[in-house]
Amino acid sequence: MANRPLSAVRGMHDLLPRETVAWSHIEARLRTVLRQYAFNEIRVPLVESAALFSHTVGAATDIVTKEMYRFTDLNGESLCLRPEGTAGVARAAMQHGLAHNQVQRLWYLGPMFRHERPQKGRYRQFHQLGVEVYGLDGPDIDAELLLMCARLWEELGSENQGGLGLKLEINSLGDRETRQAYRKILVDYFQAHRNALDDESLTRLAQNPLRLLDSKDSELQQLIHQAPSMLDCLDSCSKDHFDALCELLDKAGLAYQVNPRLVRGLDYYEKTVFEWLAPEGKGTAAVCAGGRYDKLFESLGARATPAIGFALGMERLLNHLPKHCLPVAQEPDIYFICADMASSLSLASMALSLCDMLRRELPERMLLQHLGGGSFKKQFRRADQSGAHIALILGEEEASQKSLTIKFLRTDRPQQTLPIHKVSAFLQQLPWD
Ligand code: HAM
């Protein structure tokens, strides 16, 4: 430890001020659209009981078997850092009576933890914006969520010609019985080709054969392509639901591709599932994914409640966004300069209270007061470097006349001195943008 510089845990990242500006900008835009669609925010703990995820995400999934940050706390309870948000929000809804016999439209934003192999777009701590809807079982809410996603991409990509270019893929996983029947058909199919499977695929075949369809192994792609399709096995209720969803999307003019091999890495899904993918060349990792999980509440011992949701990966979204769509830095509008406090503490005190007053009178403007003293020359250099448009100067003369000098840092406009009580009104009418 003594010789190693301290650094963040592998796969977990600091967000520095230049990045948080972009994050806040994106978050604000996402929130605006969520409000337009009448969603309410929910905040749940980062730590949950580990059993919650084996019961919902699935005891045999990669997330639960390999990726959860599990620990035993001082009371001997088996806990974990949440690997995703759906299970915790459902737990909260059950606990607070939010799920049964009512409609809930919830969203959350926060860190999730999975011990995956870190690479671009795959981290051990990452952030999801998640949306969950309870109490609606028709395909109209499936369609609305997908249309809302499209609206989010439109909002975020508005500065970019051609928008964000994310491609939507959808599928139906049918009900539990359909999946069991399909699972058997799939096992028979892959058993007949087991010589082509490596050890990892054989394990998937034994534990979770549907996940074989999700394999990225290039040698398996042809085999996967020729595998029997889930859509041919759908029960009539799931088929009607899926057909109606497709019709609603067609009528709304939302482009999508049906991908019968789209399965998800979490076991709670049934019927509709979907992913929004970055186009080829940018990696086909899903930026956003979700689906229906109508049996999750029952699996937790609650009354049946239809449910659907999705989560988008904030890091993947930010990686995908063209850089010119993101603000780079937050620069002050106004830089306040004051004669060196070594010469007069009363000037320093006057500067503090003037800045406080101006911030109250100009709440939209960012005002940075030069602190720490120094010559006017040094302070002007700092003002220039800060990116501010205007410097306000309080020197001995201004103080004695109860005035401030306004210097325009980015234009040739001549500087002017105004009585203090007129400064805010003057600044307010300037064209800032
Ligand atoms: P998920 O597909 O596991 O679904 O994750 C959703 C999104 O989170 C992914 O599409 C991706 O953008 C992001 N993500 C996942 N893992 C990582 C990682 N290691 N590093 C960076 N980003 C990652 C869920 O979590 C479900 N709870 C979604 C949902 C909500 N379904 C219904 N409601």
Side-chain angles (χ1 to χ4, degrees):
M1 172 67 98
N3 296 327
R4 264 196 24 218
L6 284 175
S7 54
V9 173
R10 193 163 122 80
M12 307 203 179
H13 296 281
D14 302 309
L15 287 175
L16 302 181
R18 64 168 184 273
E19 293 153 319
T20 57
V21 176
W23 278 68
S24 304
H25 169 82
I26 297 301
E27 286 170 16
R29 287 189 157 191
L30 294 170
R31 281 196 171 95
T32 304
V33 176
L34 288 162
R35 199 173 42 244
Q36 289 167 354
Y37 278 79
F39 280 89
N40 294 308
E41 186 181 4
I42 183 164
R43 298 187 190 192
V44 295
L46 303 195
V47 174
E48 294 277 357
S49 134
L52 174 66
F53 298 98
S54 16
H55 281 124
T56 53
V57 171
T61 57
D62 283 355
I63 293 179
V64 170
T65 55
K66 300 184 196 158
E67 296 166 4
M68 282 215 309
Y69 279 87
R70 275 171 210 269
F71 60 97
T72 306
D73 80 351
L74 295 177
N75 300 328
E77 269 191 82
S78 174
L79 304 177
C80 71
L81 298 182
R82 62 183 188 187
E84 58 102 56
T86 308
V89 172
R91 193 263 318 130
M94 275 173 65
Q95 188 175 335
H96 303 285
L98 302 184
H100 188 59
N101 246 350
Q102 56 196 296
V103 173
Q104 290 291 340
R105 302 164 68 88
L106 306 169
W107 69 269
Y108 50 90
L109 173 65
M112 308 291 160
F113 304 84
R114 295 183 194 174
H115 195 271
E116 296 193 74
R117 199 158 59 79
Q119 50 188 286
K120 190 169 163 56
R122 196 171 293 284
Y123 310 107
R124 290 182 173 170
Q125 176 178 323
F126 58 98
H127 297 75
Q128 283 185 345
L129 172 101
V131 163
E132 314 291 354
V133 179
Y134 305 144
L136 295 173
D137 58 7
D140 48 354
I141 180 63
D142 306 24
E144 191 199 48
L145 286 189
L146 291 170
L147 291 167
M148 183 174 78
C149 287
R151 176 79 193 88
L152 290 171
W153 315 146
E154 187 188 317
E155 177 70 22
L156 297 173
S158 56
E159 289 92 347
N160 198 40
Q161 247 193 350
L164 285 196
L166 294 176
K167 301 257 182 304
L168 172 62
E169 290 191 353
I170 60 174
N171 190 21
S172 176
L173 299 181
D175 63 12
R176 192 174 303 163
E177 289 71 39
T178 303
R179 272 196 311 290
Q180 265 162 10
Y182 179 63
R183 193 185 149 109
K184 191 170 171 332
I185 294 171
L186 210 58
V187 169
D188 291 347
Y189 171 78
F190 281 112
Q191 282 290 6
H193 298 87
R194 60 178 293 125
N195 291 344
L197 304 183
D198 62 11
D199 285 350
E200 198 186 327
S201 300
L202 286 169
T203 311
R204 280 189 175 182
L205 181 60
Q207 289 178 352
N208 200 348
L210 259 67
R211 291 290 287 161
L212 269 173
L213 298 177
D214 208 23
S215 167
K216 299 287 171 286
D217 185 342
S218 54
E219 291 180 13
L220 279 188
Q221 292 314 306
Q222 202 181 349
L223 200 57
I224 291 172
H225 205 72
Q226 288 165 355
S229 165
M230 161 78 85
L231 291 175
D232 295 334
C233 308
L234 283 188
D235 54 285
S236 64
C237 173
S238 302
K239 186 173 179 334
D240 290 349
H241 189 104
F242 192 62
D243 289 346
L245 171 62
C246 292
E247 198 176 326
L248 286 170
L249 296 181
D250 290 338
K251 292 215 158 95
L254 183 68
Y256 62 90
Q257 201 178 347
V258 175
N259 176 0
R261 277 160 282 279
L262 174 62
V263 286
R264 305 269 301 119
L266 305 95
D267 281 355
Y268 47 62
Y269 292 111
E270 61 174 64
K271 288 191 179 157
T272 312
V273 286
F274 55 87
E275 289 188 348
W276 289 88
L277 304 164
E280 297 290 342
K282 282 205 161 193
T284 45
V287 170
C288 171
R292 238 178 210 287
Y293 49 96
D294 292 345
K295 297 282 157 42
L296 183 140
F297 281 93
E298 275 171 288
S299 73
L300 289 175
R303 272 188 273 180
T305 303
I308 180 169
F310 67 81
L312 69 86
M314 291 294 290
E315 285 81 358
R316 289 195 194 170
L317 179 67
L318 273 120
N319 285 342
H320 179 70
L321 277 171
K323 294 293 160 273
H324 66 269
C325 293
L326 298 171
V328 279
Q330 238 178 335
E331 291 172 337
D333 299 302
I334 304 164
Y335 198 95
F336 194 100
I337 287 174
C338 173
D340 192 359
M341 74 179 154
S343 66
S344 161
L345 207 52
S346 68
L347 263 192
S349 137
M350 186 174 170
L352 280 170
S353 62
L354 274 179
C355 285
D356 180 57
M357 180 196 86
L358 288 166
R359 288 187 185 110
R360 289 169 198 273
E361 291 178 357
L362 302 164
E364 299 296 311
R365 303 270 72 97
M366 196 199 287
L367 186 155
L368 176 60
Q369 180 181 358
H370 182 95
L371 298 174
S375 66
F376 271 129
K377 192 169 164 213
K378 173 180 157 190
Q379 296 194 41
F380 275 119
R381 201 171 51 241
R382 289 279 167 81
D384 203 37
Q385 289 164 350
S386 75
H389 292 270
I390 276 168
L392 290 180
I393 304 146
L394 176 70
E396 305 278 358
E397 211 176 305
E398 282 87 356
S400 68
Q401 292 171 2
K402 299 219 171 353
S403 64
L404 281 174
T405 296
I406 299 159
K407 185 171 164 56
F408 298 89
L409 298 170
R410 314 287 156 201
T411 63
D412 298 336
R413 190 168 169 172
Q415 69 177 43
Q416 60 193 105
T417 301
L418 287 178
I420 284 170
H421 67 274
K422 292 198 170 161
V423 171
S424 296
F426 176 79
L427 293 176
Q428 231 144 21
Q429 51 78 46
L430 289 179
W432 285 95
D433 296 318

